[in-house]
Amino acid sequence: MSVRSLWEDTAPPGPVREPLDGDTEVDVCVVGAGYTGLWTAYHVLEHDPAASVLVVEAERVGFGASGRNGGWCSALLPQGESALAAEHGPVAARAMRQAMRTTIDEVERVVRAEGIDCHFRRGGTVVVARSAPHLARAAAEVAADERAGSPERLRLLDAEQTRRTVGMTRALGATYTPDCARLHPLRLARGLAAAVERRGGRIVEGTRATDVAAGRVRTDRGTVRARHVVRATEAWTATTGTREVVPVYSLMVATEPLPARAWDQVGLSGGETFSDHRHVVVYGQRTADDRLAFGGRGAPYHLGSAIRPEFDGDEGVFATLRATLRDMFPAVAGARFTHAWGGPLGIARDWHACVRHDPATGLGSAGGYVGDGVGTANLAGRTLAASITGTDSELLRLPWFGHVPPRWEPEPLRWLGVNAGLLVARAADAAEDALGRPTPLSTVLARLTAH
């Protein structure tokens, strides 16, 4: 079995870019060549083709979550529209939801315009209810969507409608939204980097930022002076000691390409991404080469927000993911699993992704996507680009712009709280499976996560 991700093994090799070659000065310096950094650079250059833009990357383009994720370009928001409405009001929440829907269109526009072969296919998302508690949560989500004024976007499917979409076992129904596209995440990152360079931006790899501040970025290869500095480091932000996000690991497995007879049972013929309504997050897609790529949470949080290569794999979690996928789709029982991989994502204390930029100092940042960053990072990049270039835009009036999340607790409280949340989520799922009804553990979980 490969120790690299499926995406690494099925993407054309990207160029190896030279590191920074000494001190330099630019208009905009972006730290991080993942989706947030690349979209910011792309849209700054779209607004102002004459701007000098430098992207500084410690590893390689798409090294972090941008190159390892589940490939859902969705309108999902980590905090959810009802929570946004409670905090910012229903008008702001609807504006944020609409902006996320438009973001899928925007990603598709750039993918088509720049000729990025990332297997973009808009098939929506089906989230299956496989128990009575699942079905109750599904119905509650649809009711909340109706109260938010957009009932046409999230639909409740009955059991037969669900089976026509996805052949998942024990399906009692599902929620379906058209607001998602399946894609190959690393192909998108590498294609976007090439588009940035075609527009005149510069990307340096193997250049580690050691200090990010207004007006300058110190690296191990020289100092960059810039009018605008954007920190786009997502999970790795936690290594700076800010306590703004915690790095939580999400792991994935992938099968070999499956034969047509298996797909006759599994379905997903429209390019739908899929999940179910359990508490421990899982997610999957049918890839362009007819594999099932499937992931989920379950790996522990590491003391001190540590991020290390050896944390990218956890054989216990991989085994659970394989067993879960076989339980969902018996047609894959005899299939070989060819890949298993993982990596960290960033979670803010209030589950509220944010974008910030101070025109006076030029310092900006974005992140805390809680695993929903494929589409969200594009919206963040467009928002940062508008602020950097002084463009009047409705994006600058969305409720996440300027939001400052509360800091995570100091250690060891942070370690205890995050891992307790994972244990409670597992216990809540087990209790629901055993009892066939919701349990108080669901309420405990919501309180632990402030979600």
Side-chain angles (χ1 to χ4, degrees):
M1 184 176 65
S2 174
V3 297
R4 303 199 310 169
S5 76
L6 170 67
W7 313 129
E8 184 73 30
D9 279 348
T10 55
V16 177
R17 296 171 173 88
E18 294 297 320
L20 187 67
D21 52 1
D23 295 351
T24 191
E25 187 170 343
V26 294
D27 296 322
V28 181
C29 180
V30 179
V31 180
Y35 291 149
T36 301
L38 294 170
W39 282 121
T40 300
Y42 181 87
H43 288 291
V44 165
L45 291 164
E46 194 172 50
H47 283 296
D48 183 4
S52 56
V53 178
L54 173 66
V55 181
V56 175
E57 169 57 46
E59 302 287 345
R60 295 192 65 195
V61 163
F63 170 79
S66 297
R68 310 186 211 178
N69 64 78
W72 288 33
C73 183
S74 77
L76 289 171
L77 288 166
Q79 194 184 37
E81 188 168 349
S82 59
L84 276 172
E87 184 172 351
H88 302 286
V91 174
R94 283 194 294 272
M96 191 75 200
R97 171 69 71 88
Q98 185 56 42
M100 283 301 302
R101 289 173 178 152
T102 304
T103 288
I104 305 172
D105 298 331
E106 175 62 22
V107 173
E108 183 172 18
R109 178 189 73 81
V110 175
V111 163
R112 305 302 182 206
E114 299 290 350
I116 300 173
D117 182 14
C118 65
H119 307 160
F120 187 100
R121 185 176 182 187
R122 195 175 210 151
T125 295
V126 58
V127 183
V128 179
R130 305 176 73 213
S131 67
H134 285 194
L135 194 59
R137 279 198 288 279
E141 286 184 15
V142 173
D145 204 56
E146 290 174 349
R147 289 193 298 272
S150 51
E152 76 283 359
R153 307 306 297 188
L154 188 66
R155 294 190 291 118
L156 187 64
L157 307 183
D158 63 26
E160 180 57 33
Q161 290 170 321
T162 301
R163 283 192 289 271
R164 288 201 295 266
T165 304
V166 56
M168 196 179 292
T169 57
R170 303 194 301 279
L172 303 178
T175 52
Y176 173 80
T177 172
D179 296 323
C180 187
R182 173 211 76 188
L183 54 77
H184 186 302
L186 187 56
R187 282 174 171 259
L188 175 60
R190 289 180 176 170
L192 186 55
V196 167
E197 291 172 326
R198 284 195 298 271
R199 288 177 174 266
R202 181 186 176 196
I203 301 171
V204 293
E205 298 178 329
T207 303
R208 189 170 301 279
T210 56
D211 185 47
V212 179
R216 58 133 178 86
V217 176
R218 290 198 180 102
T219 80
D220 56 358
R221 300 283 187 160
T223 296
V224 182
R225 300 283 177 185
R227 171 67 187 89
H228 299 277
V229 172
V230 174
R231 175 175 52 76
T233 48
E234 186 52 346
W236 275 262
T237 304
T239 64
T240 66
T242 65
R243 287 167 39 201
E244 185 174 310
V245 298
V246 293
V248 172
Y249 277 75
S250 197
L251 307 186
M252 293 195 70
V253 296
T255 69
E256 64 186 337
L258 301 177
R261 63 179 180 277
W263 289 114
D264 288 343
Q265 299 176 52
V266 173
L268 302 172
S269 60
E272 299 89 351
T273 57
F274 69 90
S275 181
D276 70 16
H277 280 278
R278 73 184 68 201
H279 293 289
V280 178
V281 173
V282 294
Y283 51 90
Q285 66 152 284
R286 176 179 180 173
T287 67
D289 61 348
D290 282 337
R291 303 170 187 261
L292 275 170
F294 184 67
R297 311 291 192 264
Y301 163 78
H302 300 278
L303 189 69
S305 293
I307 297 176
R308 297 175 190 159
E310 58 265 32
F311 299 158
D312 292 347
D314 183 310
E315 188 48 50
V317 177
F318 290 146
T320 297
L321 290 172
R322 295 184 199 109
T324 300
L325 196 60
R326 292 186 183 111
D327 175 64
M328 287 177 163
F329 302 112
V332 308
R336 186 169 61 97
F337 284 83
T338 58
H339 293 78
W341 72 99
L345 54 92
I347 296 182
R349 184 63 182 86
D350 57 0
W351 260 246
H352 194 320
C354 62
V355 182
R356 299 192 295 272
H357 177 255
D358 182 355
T361 65
L363 189 61
S365 64
Y369 303 132
V370 197
D372 293 324
V374 180
T376 316
N378 170 271
L379 182 58
R382 285 187 288 133
T383 304
L384 284 164
S387 187
I388 288 168
T389 60
T391 303
D392 183 35
S393 171
E394 288 300 315
L395 300 181
L396 302 179
R397 290 176 275 282
L398 292 174
W400 74 335
F401 185 61
H403 175 74
V404 179
R407 294 199 303 169
W408 280 92
E409 291 78 1
E411 296 290 20
L413 294 177
R414 188 160 74 245
W415 180 87
L416 289 168
V418 175
N419 286 316
L422 176 59
L423 291 174
V424 171
R426 287 173 174 162
D429 284 330
E432 287 186 353
D433 287 345
L435 300 174
R437 57 178 171 78
T439 74
L441 286 171
S442 298
T443 303
V444 173
L445 180 63
R447 288 175 179 169
L448 274 174
T449 59
H451 193 199

